[in-house]
Amino acid sequence: MKIRIIAAALVLAGVAASCDTNKSVTRVDEREQIDLSGRWNDVDSRLVAAEMVNDGLTRVWLQDFVEAEGRKPAIIVGLVRNRSSEHIATETFINDIEREYINSGKVRLVQGGEFREELRAEKADQQNNASLETVKRFGRELGADFIMQGSVNSITDANSKTKVVFYQVDMELTNIETNEKVWVGSKKIKKVVE
């Protein structure tokens, strides 16, 4: 019993010693650029998403589609592969891209991936559990005309005092029916960390 009490006391003492009580936390505006490590961060994600979407929406494919079809195109954002040497939250980047598309007002955005499957499961559940007046029917989804996909790559070069991190984000927009690439964009970021 004494051994257990001593062991518990030692564990508690170790936990208490490892806690740094001298830290302070300051809230800052979420748009403020803070780059501590030189790694991909929220600012990179937001700026690259805005630049990619804005570039894509100014190209001829959009005008050609609207003239030919008489409506806004429906886009789905697919996979963005992380091929970099670090962990990058690609879901956050995808969310930034989707926000830019929606806020542009120039396209319609279709739900994809796991969220689409959750919507379909809800629709299936409604078939048995919702009133006839409110049940949502199958076969009424908006089919996407285009899919945006891409990758994030990085190269790191370092010596004992300085590190250079280079990111290249490559995205492409493809017509789902014809597999024709209608837009290809690339954004490069280079950071020096000393």
Side-chain angles (χ1 to χ4, degrees):
M1 183 69 165
K2 286 183 181 181
I3 294 175
R4 287 185 181 168
I5 293 173
I6 292 171
L10 288 173
V11 168
L12 287 174
V15 169
S18 68
C19 293
D20 185 358
T21 58
N22 294 327
K23 291 186 179 182
S24 68
V25 175
T26 305
R27 295 198 185 275
V28 297
D29 186 291
E30 76 275 1
R31 292 205 165 273
E32 184 176 336
Q33 182 172 331
I34 301 172
D35 205 339
L36 301 176
S37 67
R39 292 179 169 260
W40 178 271
N41 60 34
D42 62 315
V43 175
D44 298 322
S45 178
R46 191 173 59 249
L47 293 176
V48 171
E51 189 168 317
M52 287 288 199
V53 170
N54 290 335
D55 180 65
L57 292 176
T58 62
R59 303 302 176 168
V60 71
W61 73 269
L62 180 58
Q63 181 181 346
D64 289 349
F65 182 89
V66 171
E67 287 176 3
E69 301 294 327
R71 62 178 174 83
K72 296 177 188 179
I75 293 178
I76 188 167
V77 180
L79 291 177
V80 177
R81 289 176 175 79
N82 177 14
R83 293 190 173 130
S84 74
S85 58
E86 63 188 68
H87 171 74
I88 292 178
T90 56
E91 188 172 327
T92 301
F93 181 52
I94 290 169
N95 290 340
D96 287 338
I97 291 170
E98 290 179 334
R99 186 172 23 266
E100 291 295 324
Y101 271 132
I102 289 171
N103 291 341
S104 77
K106 296 180 179 180
V107 300
R108 298 171 78 182
L109 191 68
V110 177
Q111 189 66 268
E114 294 173 0
F115 294 109
R116 177 175 51 203
E117 295 308 315
E118 184 178 3
L119 286 167
R120 289 176 178 166
E122 172 58 25
K123 211 177 302 180
D125 184 67
Q126 285 186 14
Q127 304 309 305
N128 295 322
N129 299 307
S131 68
L132 291 176
E133 299 82 29
T134 62
V135 69
K136 304 304 176 255
R137 296 177 287 159
F138 282 105
R140 309 276 300 170
E141 293 180 20
L142 177 63
D145 301 300
F146 299 92
I147 186 168
M148 182 181 236
Q149 300 165 299
S151 63
V152 180
N153 295 282
S154 71
I155 300 170
T156 302
D157 187 18
N159 64 23
S160 61
K161 295 181 181 180
T162 306
K163 175 172 75 169
V164 176
V165 184
F166 171 78
Y167 296 97
Q168 181 167 325
V169 181
D170 296 305
M171 302 295 291
E172 52 191 47
L173 192 66
T174 305
N175 182 309
I176 293 175
E177 189 166 13
T178 65
N179 285 351
E180 175 188 11
K181 289 184 186 182
V182 297
W183 172 82
V184 175
S186 183
K187 172 68 177 162
K188 299 171 180 159
I189 298 172
K190 187 180 276 191
K191 299 180 179 184
V192 177
V193 182
E194 298 182 280

